[in-house]
Short mmCIF file of all heavy atoms in Angstrom, two decimals:
data_model
loop_
_atom_site.label_atom_id
_atom_site.label_comp_id
_atom_site.label_asym_id
_atom_site.label_seq_id
_atom_site.Cartn_x
_atom_site.Cartn_y
_atom_site.Cartn_z
N ILE A 1 8.63 -67.83 -20.20
CA ILE A 1 9.07 -68.42 -18.96
C ILE A 1 8.76 -69.92 -19.01
O ILE A 1 7.86 -70.34 -19.74
CB ILE A 1 8.40 -67.80 -17.71
CG1 ILE A 1 6.88 -67.99 -17.75
CG2 ILE A 1 8.76 -66.33 -17.57
CD1 ILE A 1 6.18 -67.55 -16.46
N PHE A 2 9.53 -70.71 -18.25
CA PHE A 2 9.28 -72.15 -18.19
C PHE A 2 9.13 -72.54 -16.73
O PHE A 2 10.02 -72.27 -15.91
CB PHE A 2 10.42 -72.95 -18.83
CG PHE A 2 10.14 -74.42 -18.93
CD1 PHE A 2 9.40 -74.91 -20.00
CD2 PHE A 2 10.59 -75.30 -17.97
CE1 PHE A 2 9.13 -76.27 -20.10
CE2 PHE A 2 10.32 -76.66 -18.05
CZ PHE A 2 9.59 -77.14 -19.13
N CYS A 3 8.00 -73.14 -16.39
CA CYS A 3 7.72 -73.57 -15.02
C CYS A 3 7.93 -75.08 -14.95
O CYS A 3 7.16 -75.85 -15.52
CB CYS A 3 6.28 -73.21 -14.64
SG CYS A 3 5.96 -71.43 -14.76
N GLU A 4 8.99 -75.47 -14.25
CA GLU A 4 9.42 -76.86 -14.31
C GLU A 4 8.45 -77.82 -13.63
O GLU A 4 8.26 -78.95 -14.08
CB GLU A 4 10.82 -77.00 -13.70
CG GLU A 4 11.48 -78.29 -14.07
CD GLU A 4 12.98 -78.21 -13.98
OE1 GLU A 4 13.49 -77.34 -13.26
OE2 GLU A 4 13.65 -79.03 -14.64
N GLN A 5 7.83 -77.40 -12.55
CA GLN A 5 6.93 -78.30 -11.83
C GLN A 5 5.77 -78.76 -12.71
O GLN A 5 5.37 -79.91 -12.69
CB GLN A 5 6.41 -77.62 -10.57
CG GLN A 5 5.52 -78.54 -9.73
CD GLN A 5 5.17 -77.93 -8.39
OE1 GLN A 5 5.77 -76.96 -7.95
NE2 GLN A 5 4.18 -78.50 -7.72
N SER A 6 5.24 -77.83 -13.50
CA SER A 6 4.12 -78.16 -14.39
C SER A 6 4.56 -78.46 -15.81
O SER A 6 3.72 -78.82 -16.65
CB SER A 6 3.11 -77.00 -14.40
OG SER A 6 3.75 -75.81 -14.84
N GLN A 7 5.88 -78.32 -16.10
CA GLN A 7 6.41 -78.53 -17.44
C GLN A 7 5.70 -77.63 -18.46
O GLN A 7 5.41 -78.05 -19.59
CB GLN A 7 6.30 -80.00 -17.86
CG GLN A 7 7.09 -80.95 -16.99
CD GLN A 7 8.59 -80.77 -17.14
OE1 GLN A 7 9.15 -81.08 -18.19
NE2 GLN A 7 9.24 -80.25 -16.12
N LEU A 8 5.40 -76.41 -18.04
CA LEU A 8 4.63 -75.50 -18.87
C LEU A 8 5.50 -74.34 -19.36
O LEU A 8 6.14 -73.66 -18.56
CB LEU A 8 3.44 -74.94 -18.10
CG LEU A 8 2.33 -74.29 -18.94
CD1 LEU A 8 1.55 -75.35 -19.71
CD2 LEU A 8 1.37 -73.49 -18.06
N LEU A 9 5.53 -74.18 -20.68
CA LEU A 9 6.15 -73.01 -21.30
C LEU A 9 5.07 -71.97 -21.51
O LEU A 9 4.02 -72.26 -22.10
CB LEU A 9 6.78 -73.39 -22.63
CG LEU A 9 7.41 -72.24 -23.42
CD1 LEU A 9 8.68 -71.72 -22.74
CD2 LEU A 9 7.70 -72.67 -24.86
N ILE A 10 5.30 -70.74 -21.04
CA ILE A 10 4.32 -69.67 -21.15
C ILE A 10 4.90 -68.52 -21.96
O ILE A 10 6.07 -68.16 -21.78
CB ILE A 10 3.88 -69.15 -19.76
CG1 ILE A 10 3.30 -70.30 -18.93
CG2 ILE A 10 2.85 -68.04 -19.89
CD1 ILE A 10 2.95 -69.90 -17.51
N ALA A 11 4.10 -67.97 -22.85
CA ALA A 11 4.51 -66.82 -23.66
C ALA A 11 3.59 -65.64 -23.38
O ALA A 11 2.37 -65.77 -23.40
CB ALA A 11 4.45 -67.17 -25.15
N GLY A 12 4.20 -64.49 -23.12
CA GLY A 12 3.49 -63.23 -23.14
C GLY A 12 3.65 -62.66 -24.53
O GLY A 12 4.78 -62.53 -25.03
N ALA A 13 2.55 -62.34 -25.19
CA ALA A 13 2.61 -62.04 -26.62
C ALA A 13 1.82 -60.79 -26.98
O ALA A 13 1.22 -60.15 -26.13
CB ALA A 13 2.10 -63.25 -27.41
N GLU A 14 1.83 -60.48 -28.27
CA GLU A 14 1.16 -59.27 -28.77
C GLU A 14 -0.34 -59.29 -28.51
O GLU A 14 -0.95 -58.25 -28.32
CB GLU A 14 1.41 -59.12 -30.27
CG GLU A 14 2.83 -58.73 -30.64
CD GLU A 14 3.10 -57.24 -30.47
OE1 GLU A 14 2.22 -56.53 -29.96
OE2 GLU A 14 4.21 -56.81 -30.83
N ARG A 15 -0.93 -60.50 -28.49
CA ARG A 15 -2.38 -60.57 -28.34
C ARG A 15 -2.78 -61.54 -27.24
O ARG A 15 -3.78 -62.25 -27.38
CB ARG A 15 -3.03 -60.97 -29.68
CG ARG A 15 -2.77 -59.98 -30.81
CD ARG A 15 -3.68 -60.25 -32.01
NE ARG A 15 -3.56 -61.61 -32.52
CZ ARG A 15 -2.64 -61.99 -33.41
NH1 ARG A 15 -1.75 -61.13 -33.86
NH2 ARG A 15 -2.62 -63.24 -33.85
N GLY A 16 -2.02 -61.59 -26.16
CA GLY A 16 -2.44 -62.42 -25.05
C GLY A 16 -1.33 -63.20 -24.40
O GLY A 16 -0.14 -62.94 -24.62
N CYS A 17 -1.73 -64.20 -23.61
CA CYS A 17 -0.79 -65.00 -22.83
C CYS A 17 -1.24 -66.46 -22.91
O CYS A 17 -2.39 -66.77 -22.58
CB CYS A 17 -0.78 -64.51 -21.38
SG CYS A 17 0.45 -65.27 -20.32
N VAL A 18 -0.34 -67.34 -23.37
CA VAL A 18 -0.71 -68.73 -23.58
C VAL A 18 0.39 -69.65 -23.07
O VAL A 18 1.54 -69.24 -22.86
CB VAL A 18 -0.97 -69.03 -25.08
CG1 VAL A 18 -2.19 -68.28 -25.58
CG2 VAL A 18 0.26 -68.69 -25.92
N GLY A 19 0.04 -70.93 -22.89
CA GLY A 19 1.01 -71.90 -22.40
C GLY A 19 0.89 -73.24 -23.09
O GLY A 19 -0.19 -73.62 -23.57
N TRP A 20 2.01 -73.97 -23.12
CA TRP A 20 2.07 -75.29 -23.72
C TRP A 20 2.79 -76.23 -22.76
O TRP A 20 3.82 -75.87 -22.17
CB TRP A 20 2.85 -75.30 -25.04
CG TRP A 20 2.39 -74.30 -26.05
CD1 TRP A 20 1.51 -74.49 -27.06
CD2 TRP A 20 2.83 -72.94 -26.15
NE1 TRP A 20 1.36 -73.34 -27.80
CE2 TRP A 20 2.16 -72.37 -27.26
CE3 TRP A 20 3.72 -72.15 -25.42
CZ2 TRP A 20 2.36 -71.05 -27.65
CZ3 TRP A 20 3.91 -70.82 -25.80
CH2 TRP A 20 3.23 -70.29 -26.90
N VAL A 21 2.31 -77.43 -22.64
CA VAL A 21 3.02 -78.45 -21.88
C VAL A 21 4.17 -78.97 -22.75
O VAL A 21 3.94 -79.47 -23.85
CB VAL A 21 2.10 -79.62 -21.48
CG1 VAL A 21 2.89 -80.72 -20.79
CG2 VAL A 21 0.99 -79.11 -20.56
N VAL A 22 5.39 -78.80 -22.26
CA VAL A 22 6.57 -79.26 -22.98
C VAL A 22 7.32 -80.22 -22.05
O VAL A 22 8.24 -79.84 -21.33
CB VAL A 22 7.48 -78.09 -23.40
CG1 VAL A 22 8.66 -78.59 -24.22
CG2 VAL A 22 6.68 -77.06 -24.20
N ALA A 23 6.90 -81.47 -22.06
CA ALA A 23 7.43 -82.47 -21.13
C ALA A 23 8.57 -83.26 -21.77
O ALA A 23 8.72 -83.31 -22.99
CB ALA A 23 6.31 -83.41 -20.68
N ASP A 24 9.36 -83.90 -20.91
CA ASP A 24 10.43 -84.81 -21.35
C ASP A 24 11.38 -84.14 -22.34
O ASP A 24 11.76 -84.72 -23.36
CB ASP A 24 9.84 -86.08 -21.98
CG ASP A 24 8.95 -86.84 -21.01
OD1 ASP A 24 9.30 -86.89 -19.82
OD2 ASP A 24 7.90 -87.35 -21.44
N CYS A 25 11.77 -82.91 -22.03
CA CYS A 25 12.68 -82.18 -22.92
C CYS A 25 14.00 -82.93 -23.10
O CYS A 25 14.63 -82.85 -24.17
CB CYS A 25 12.95 -80.79 -22.36
SG CYS A 25 11.54 -79.67 -22.45
N HIS A 26 14.43 -83.66 -22.07
CA HIS A 26 15.71 -84.35 -22.13
C HIS A 26 15.72 -85.46 -23.18
O HIS A 26 16.80 -85.89 -23.63
CB HIS A 26 16.04 -84.95 -20.75
CG HIS A 26 15.06 -85.97 -20.29
ND1 HIS A 26 13.85 -85.62 -19.71
CD2 HIS A 26 15.08 -87.33 -20.33
CE1 HIS A 26 13.18 -86.73 -19.40
NE2 HIS A 26 13.90 -87.77 -19.76
N SER A 27 14.55 -85.94 -23.58
CA SER A 27 14.48 -87.05 -24.53
C SER A 27 14.32 -86.59 -25.97
O SER A 27 14.35 -87.41 -26.89
CB SER A 27 13.31 -87.98 -24.16
OG SER A 27 12.07 -87.30 -24.31
N LEU A 28 14.18 -85.30 -26.18
CA LEU A 28 14.01 -84.79 -27.54
C LEU A 28 15.33 -84.80 -28.29
O LEU A 28 16.39 -84.58 -27.72
CB LEU A 28 13.45 -83.36 -27.51
CG LEU A 28 12.05 -83.19 -26.90
CD1 LEU A 28 11.71 -81.72 -26.77
CD2 LEU A 28 11.00 -83.91 -27.74
N THR A 29 15.28 -85.05 -29.58
CA THR A 29 16.47 -85.04 -30.42
C THR A 29 16.26 -84.11 -31.60
O THR A 29 15.13 -83.94 -32.08
CB THR A 29 16.79 -86.45 -30.94
OG1 THR A 29 15.63 -86.96 -31.64
CG2 THR A 29 17.14 -87.38 -29.80
N PRO A 30 17.34 -83.47 -32.08
CA PRO A 30 17.20 -82.53 -33.21
C PRO A 30 16.76 -83.24 -34.49
O PRO A 30 17.31 -84.29 -34.84
CB PRO A 30 18.61 -81.95 -33.37
CG PRO A 30 19.32 -82.28 -32.10
CD PRO A 30 18.71 -83.54 -31.60
N VAL A 31 15.78 -82.69 -35.16
CA VAL A 31 15.34 -83.22 -36.46
C VAL A 31 15.05 -82.05 -37.39
O VAL A 31 14.57 -81.00 -36.96
CB VAL A 31 14.07 -84.09 -36.31
CG1 VAL A 31 14.40 -85.42 -35.65
CG2 VAL A 31 12.99 -83.39 -35.52
N ARG A 32 15.35 -82.25 -38.65
CA ARG A 32 15.18 -81.17 -39.61
C ARG A 32 13.71 -80.77 -39.73
O ARG A 32 13.38 -79.59 -39.88
CB ARG A 32 15.73 -81.59 -40.98
CG ARG A 32 15.73 -80.46 -42.00
CD ARG A 32 16.61 -80.82 -43.19
NE ARG A 32 17.99 -81.01 -42.79
CZ ARG A 32 18.85 -80.02 -42.62
NH1 ARG A 32 18.46 -78.77 -42.79
NH2 ARG A 32 20.09 -80.26 -42.27
N ARG A 33 12.83 -81.74 -39.66
CA ARG A 33 11.40 -81.44 -39.70
C ARG A 33 10.78 -81.77 -38.34
O ARG A 33 10.09 -82.76 -38.18
CB ARG A 33 10.71 -82.23 -40.82
CG ARG A 33 11.19 -81.86 -42.22
CD ARG A 33 10.39 -82.54 -43.29
NE ARG A 33 10.80 -82.16 -44.63
CZ ARG A 33 10.38 -81.08 -45.26
NH1 ARG A 33 9.52 -80.25 -44.67
NH2 ARG A 33 10.81 -80.80 -46.48
N ALA A 34 11.08 -80.92 -37.38
CA ALA A 34 10.61 -81.14 -36.02
C ALA A 34 9.09 -81.05 -35.96
O ALA A 34 8.45 -80.34 -36.75
CB ALA A 34 11.24 -80.12 -35.08
N LYS A 35 8.54 -81.78 -35.01
CA LYS A 35 7.10 -81.73 -34.78
C LYS A 35 6.67 -80.30 -34.45
O LYS A 35 7.34 -79.58 -33.70
CB LYS A 35 6.73 -82.65 -33.62
CG LYS A 35 5.28 -82.57 -33.20
CD LYS A 35 5.02 -83.39 -31.94
CE LYS A 35 3.60 -83.22 -31.46
NZ LYS A 35 3.36 -83.98 -30.19
#
């Protein structure tokens, strides 16, 4: 799920639940060796 107010991507997974801040998605560009 992605919560726009906090810019947080959350994953429910095999061994828990974690989140990452993924801000400024509109400014990202495709790269072969992405960060």
Side-chain angles (χ1 to χ4, degrees):
I1 61 172
F2 187 84
C3 301
E4 196 156 23
Q5 183 172 346
S6 58
Q7 298 292 291
L8 196 71
L9 177 70
I10 302 175
E14 288 281 5
R15 299 193 303 274
C17 187
V18 294
W20 307 266
V21 175
V22 183
D24 301 322
C25 290
H26 62 279
S27 65
L28 296 173
T29 56
V31 288
R32 186 165 298 278
R33 296 187 178 276
K35 174 186 175 183

